[in-house]
Amino acid sequence: MISSIVPPSRWSSRRSFWLTTAIALCLTSAAPAAPLEVSLDQIRQVAASTAPIVAARNAQVAAARYDADRAGALPDPALTLAVDNLTVTGPEAFHLGGDRMTMRRIGLMQDWPSRRKREARRESAEAQVVVAVDQTLVTGLEVERLAGGAWIEAWAAEAEFGFLEDLIDEADRAA
């Protein structure tokens, strides 16, 4: 558009960029503002359902519930394999049958924590679920509050723009 008015040899690319940007801003600012088409409740619902922080909090709740399900269970058994008194020097080095003192052990171990300890773990995990749920609710309300504040600011700007247009019309009539 500018190149048809002024030959490109007289304008650097930077100047033409800034000039076209300024013209575009003037044209868009002169256009009347579109009315808000979304209600406050719709904005709050959309923000609460699409905010990534709320999805992250929901994942924390799911993880806390998963931890609570297995908090009171006994720990998994452990398989042990061991070699004791293995010779590491001399001609019999690292040979399992070279010395009579070398012992091989295979075993299965199970820890048995007390009932009180398992109940305390279960209660702690259930409390973590409650905390995660409460944090999710607080985060959702915070997101809704911020979205509502943004909607109110947009509504106020639109109302102010309409009021200023009315004042301009009134000033034109008075002049």
Short mmCIF file of all heavy atoms in Angstrom, two decimals, residues 19 24 30 35 43 70-71 73-74 77 84 93 123 126 128 132-133 145:
data_model
loop_
_atom_site.label_atom_id
_atom_site.label_comp_id
_atom_site.label_asym_id
_atom_site.label_seq_id
_atom_site.Cartn_x
_atom_site.Cartn_y
_atom_site.Cartn_z
N LEU A 19 5.78 2.89 9.58
CA LEU A 19 4.69 3.69 9.02
C LEU A 19 3.44 2.83 8.83
O LEU A 19 2.34 3.25 9.20
CB LEU A 19 5.12 4.32 7.69
CG LEU A 19 4.11 5.27 7.07
CD1 LEU A 19 3.84 6.44 8.00
CD2 LEU A 19 4.60 5.77 5.73
N ALA A 24 -1.94 1.14 10.64
CA ALA A 24 -2.81 0.05 11.07
C ALA A 24 -3.36 0.32 12.46
O ALA A 24 -4.55 0.07 12.74
CB ALA A 24 -2.05 -1.27 11.04
N ALA A 30 -9.68 3.60 15.52
CA ALA A 30 -10.83 4.41 15.11
C ALA A 30 -12.09 3.57 14.99
O ALA A 30 -13.18 4.09 15.02
CB ALA A 30 -10.54 5.09 13.77
N PRO A 35 -19.00 -5.05 21.33
CA PRO A 35 -19.54 -5.28 22.67
C PRO A 35 -19.10 -6.65 23.19
O PRO A 35 -18.83 -7.56 22.42
CB PRO A 35 -21.05 -5.21 22.46
CG PRO A 35 -21.25 -5.52 21.02
CD PRO A 35 -20.02 -5.02 20.30
N ILE A 43 -17.24 -16.58 31.40
CA ILE A 43 -15.79 -16.37 31.48
C ILE A 43 -15.22 -17.13 32.67
O ILE A 43 -14.18 -17.78 32.57
CB ILE A 43 -15.46 -14.87 31.58
CG1 ILE A 43 -15.67 -14.18 30.24
CG2 ILE A 43 -14.05 -14.64 32.08
CD1 ILE A 43 -14.65 -14.57 29.20
N ARG A 70 -2.52 -46.84 49.04
CA ARG A 70 -1.50 -47.83 49.38
C ARG A 70 -0.69 -47.46 50.62
O ARG A 70 0.30 -48.13 50.95
CB ARG A 70 -0.56 -48.05 48.20
CG ARG A 70 0.09 -46.84 47.66
CD ARG A 70 0.88 -47.11 46.39
NE ARG A 70 1.61 -45.92 46.03
CZ ARG A 70 2.83 -45.63 46.47
NH1 ARG A 70 3.47 -46.48 47.22
NH2 ARG A 70 3.42 -44.51 46.11
N ALA A 71 -1.12 -46.43 51.35
CA ALA A 71 -0.35 -45.95 52.50
C ALA A 71 -0.32 -46.95 53.66
O ALA A 71 0.69 -47.10 54.32
CB ALA A 71 -0.89 -44.62 52.98
N ALA A 73 -0.62 -50.22 53.52
CA ALA A 73 -0.24 -51.58 53.13
C ALA A 73 1.15 -51.93 53.65
O ALA A 73 1.97 -51.06 53.95
CB ALA A 73 -0.27 -51.71 51.61
N LEU A 74 1.39 -53.22 53.76
CA LEU A 74 2.73 -53.67 54.14
C LEU A 74 3.69 -53.39 53.00
O LEU A 74 3.30 -53.43 51.83
CB LEU A 74 2.71 -55.17 54.43
CG LEU A 74 1.98 -55.59 55.70
CD1 LEU A 74 1.88 -57.11 55.76
CD2 LEU A 74 2.69 -55.05 56.92
N PRO A 77 7.90 -57.37 49.77
CA PRO A 77 9.02 -58.21 50.20
C PRO A 77 10.25 -57.96 49.33
O PRO A 77 10.13 -57.50 48.19
CB PRO A 77 8.50 -59.63 50.01
CG PRO A 77 7.29 -59.54 49.19
CD PRO A 77 6.80 -58.14 49.23
N ASP A 84 29.42 -63.67 51.05
CA ASP A 84 30.23 -63.19 52.17
C ASP A 84 31.60 -63.86 52.15
O ASP A 84 31.73 -65.03 51.77
CB ASP A 84 29.54 -63.51 53.51
CG ASP A 84 28.25 -62.77 53.69
OD1 ASP A 84 28.13 -61.66 53.12
OD2 ASP A 84 27.35 -63.28 54.38
N ALA A 93 41.32 -65.91 43.88
CA ALA A 93 40.58 -64.65 43.88
C ALA A 93 39.30 -64.77 43.05
O ALA A 93 39.30 -65.29 41.94
CB ALA A 93 41.45 -63.53 43.33
N GLU A 123 -3.43 -42.21 57.91
CA GLU A 123 -4.06 -40.95 58.31
C GLU A 123 -3.32 -39.76 57.70
O GLU A 123 -3.95 -38.79 57.26
CB GLU A 123 -4.09 -40.84 59.83
CG GLU A 123 -5.07 -41.78 60.47
CD GLU A 123 -4.96 -41.81 61.98
OE1 GLU A 123 -4.15 -41.02 62.54
OE2 GLU A 123 -5.67 -42.61 62.61
N GLU A 126 -4.32 -39.57 54.07
CA GLU A 126 -5.68 -39.05 53.91
C GLU A 126 -5.72 -37.54 54.16
O GLU A 126 -6.46 -36.81 53.48
CB GLU A 126 -6.63 -39.78 54.85
CG GLU A 126 -6.89 -41.22 54.44
CD GLU A 126 -7.65 -42.02 55.48
OE1 GLU A 126 -7.96 -41.46 56.56
OE2 GLU A 126 -7.92 -43.20 55.22
N GLN A 128 -3.25 -35.55 53.46
CA GLN A 128 -2.66 -34.98 52.25
C GLN A 128 -3.70 -34.88 51.14
O GLN A 128 -3.68 -33.93 50.34
CB GLN A 128 -1.46 -35.81 51.79
CG GLN A 128 -0.27 -35.72 52.69
CD GLN A 128 0.33 -34.33 52.73
OE1 GLN A 128 0.28 -33.59 51.76
NE2 GLN A 128 0.87 -33.96 53.87
N ALA A 132 -4.79 -31.44 49.34
CA ALA A 132 -4.73 -31.30 47.88
C ALA A 132 -6.08 -30.86 47.32
O ALA A 132 -6.14 -30.01 46.42
CB ALA A 132 -4.28 -32.61 47.24
N VAL A 133 -7.17 -31.42 47.85
CA VAL A 133 -8.50 -31.02 47.39
C VAL A 133 -8.77 -29.56 47.72
O VAL A 133 -9.27 -28.79 46.88
CB VAL A 133 -9.59 -31.94 48.00
CG1 VAL A 133 -10.98 -31.37 47.79
CG2 VAL A 133 -9.50 -33.33 47.42
N ARG A 145 -11.57 -15.64 40.03
CA ARG A 145 -11.48 -14.24 40.45
C ARG A 145 -10.67 -13.42 39.45
O ARG A 145 -11.07 -12.31 39.07
CB ARG A 145 -10.84 -14.15 41.84
CG ARG A 145 -10.80 -12.73 42.39
CD ARG A 145 -10.02 -12.65 43.67
NE ARG A 145 -8.60 -12.90 43.49
CZ ARG A 145 -7.72 -11.99 43.05
NH1 ARG A 145 -8.13 -10.79 42.72
NH2 ARG A 145 -6.45 -12.30 42.94
#
